[in-house]
């Protein structure tokens, strides 16, 4: 039978979600605990990969196993064995052909920036103590939904079949001394959100104009876009699936 597991993790200590040959990943740690408790080899297939240092407030993965009983109790047991920076929230059965990655319809990321030094955000946000024009940044963010090809914001050398993504919304909010960028799309390219944020920051610092963002996207040239901002400010926050499969 197939089950979905919803979980979250602080990515500071990990080299992303996906297994790495010579580095600790979230997948490696979770699969080891699942395999131990379920007494059979468990392979977790996640909704997507996250890069080194990136966090997930909500990640989803699927795994196959015989019938599970008392999933609430299993959640407690799994959390007892998992390290403090990984937490399982829910396990539930899904149809046998349901795929955590391929059947996801939307994903949402947030990027957090703090405008004053705050020890509680040391590994959880990017500290940027420079004036930003949020109005201009929101104008530029609104332009993203007009395009589908985002090669300009993709990590160089990415092995993908298409650079097309459909962005549903993208906007900035000021919350006290924290600035949050929220973006929702059907899919994201590797490093895409961090490159978009780096570009919009240049708009906010008035290094480039709002309209320049259109030129950058049309260029399909990663070198034209802004730098990738630090991974520690990036959070995967939401993953959506068709209602007919996941209630």
């Amino acid at each position: 039978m197939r089950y979905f597991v919803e979980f979250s993790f602080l990515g500071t200590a990990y080299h992303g979600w996906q297994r790495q040959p010579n580095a600790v990943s979230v997948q490696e740690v979770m699969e080891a605990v699942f395999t131990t408790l379920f007494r059979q080899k468990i392979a977790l297939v996640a909704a997507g990969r996250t890069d080194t240092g990136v966090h997930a407030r909500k990640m989803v993965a699927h795994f196959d196993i015989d019938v599970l009983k008392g999933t609430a109790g299993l959640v407690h047991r799994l959390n007892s064995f998992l390290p403090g920076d990984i937490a399982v929230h829910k396990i539930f059965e899904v149809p046998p052909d349901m795929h955590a990655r391929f059947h996801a319809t939307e994903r949402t990321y947030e990027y957090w920036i703090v405008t004053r030094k705050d020890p509680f955000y040391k590994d959880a946000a990017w500290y940027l103590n420079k004036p930003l024009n949020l109005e201009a940044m929101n104008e530029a963010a609104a332009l993203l939904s007009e395009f589908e090809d985002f090669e300009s914001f993709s990590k160089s050398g990415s092995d993908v079949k298409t650079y097309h993504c459909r962005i549903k919304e993208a906007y900035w909010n000021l919350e006290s001394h924290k600035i949050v960028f929220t973006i929702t799309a059907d899919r994201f390219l590797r490093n895409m959100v961090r490159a978009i944020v780096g570009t919009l920051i240049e708009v906010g610092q008035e290094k480039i104009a709002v309209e320049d963002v259109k030129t950058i996207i049309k260029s399909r040239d990663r070198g034209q876009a802004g730098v990738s901002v630090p991974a520690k400010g990036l959070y995967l926050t939401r993953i959506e699936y068709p209602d007919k499969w996941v209630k």
Side-chain angles (χ1 to χ4, degrees):
M1 300 188 74
R2 179 155 293 182
Y3 291 85
F4 267 22
V5 52
E6 290 184 5
F7 59 99
S8 58
F9 59 83
L10 188 68
T12 307
Y14 303 99
H15 288 253
W17 157 258
Q18 192 168 309
R19 277 184 174 270
Q20 305 290 329
N22 299 303
V24 179
S25 69
V26 178
Q27 182 181 21
E28 175 188 349
V29 172
M30 289 188 65
E31 286 182 345
V33 171
F34 275 58
T35 295
T36 297
L37 288 184
F38 295 151
R39 298 182 180 179
Q40 60 180 280
K41 187 170 180 60
I42 299 295
L44 295 170
V45 179
R49 59 181 297 169
T50 57
D51 290 334
T52 299
V54 174
H55 318 294
R57 297 177 72 84
K58 179 181 179 180
M59 175 64 97
V60 177
H62 76 248
F63 63 97
D64 297 323
I65 195 174
D66 294 335
V67 178
L68 292 177
K69 295 181 180 179
T71 53
L74 286 174
V75 168
H76 176 73
R77 290 176 63 200
L78 286 165
N79 283 327
S80 296
F81 282 87
L82 286 166
D85 49 13
I86 302 175
V88 170
H89 304 299
K90 184 164 59 171
I91 296 175
F92 54 96
E93 184 183 349
V94 295
D97 59 346
M98 184 74 177
H99 197 285
R101 177 184 174 191
F102 297 140
H103 287 135
T105 57
E106 285 184 3
R107 297 163 173 85
T108 298
Y109 280 90
E110 291 181 1
Y111 194 86
W112 295 5
I113 296 171
V114 288
T115 56
R116 68 168 185 253
K117 186 176 180 181
D118 188 329
F120 296 101
Y121 286 106
K122 181 177 75 72
D123 295 317
W126 180 33
Y127 170 46
L128 182 65
N129 185 20
K130 294 181 179 179
L132 293 173
N133 183 337
L134 282 182
E135 183 177 351
M137 290 162 67
N138 266 320
E139 286 182 31
L143 297 176
L144 297 172
S145 61
E146 299 178 9
F147 297 87
E148 289 188 351
D149 190 315
F150 292 98
E151 186 173 358
S152 296
F153 300 128
S154 177
K155 187 177 179 67
S156 300
S158 293
D159 182 20
V160 294
K161 294 180 180 179
T162 175
Y163 293 98
H164 283 214
C165 309
R166 291 190 301 272
I167 294 180
K168 181 179 179 180
E169 61 180 5
Y171 58 90
W172 294 85
N173 270 332
L174 177 62
E175 304 172 5
S176 183
H177 66 291
K178 182 173 74 173
I179 302 171
V180 178
F181 176 64
T182 302
I183 184 168
T184 299
D186 62 336
R187 65 189 288 262
F188 287 93
L189 304 169
R190 223 182 140 190
N191 212 232
M192 177 176 166
V193 180
R194 291 163 61 194
I196 287 175
V197 171
T199 304
L200 297 182
I201 289 295
E202 291 192 356
V203 174
Q205 293 177 338
E206 300 181 350
K207 294 180 179 179
I208 61 174
V210 171
E211 289 297 311
D212 290 337
V213 173
K214 289 185 177 182
T215 304
I216 290 169
I217 296 173
K218 291 176 182 177
S219 75
R220 301 180 64 190
D221 180 1
R222 178 65 186 90
Q224 297 296 313
V227 299
S228 291
V229 291
K232 64 182 181 180
L234 184 59
Y235 295 79
L236 174 62
T237 61
R238 188 173 63 88
I239 304 171
E240 292 294 325
Y241 294 92
D243 288 341
K244 66 178 181 178
W245 285 328
V246 177
K247 300 296 184 181

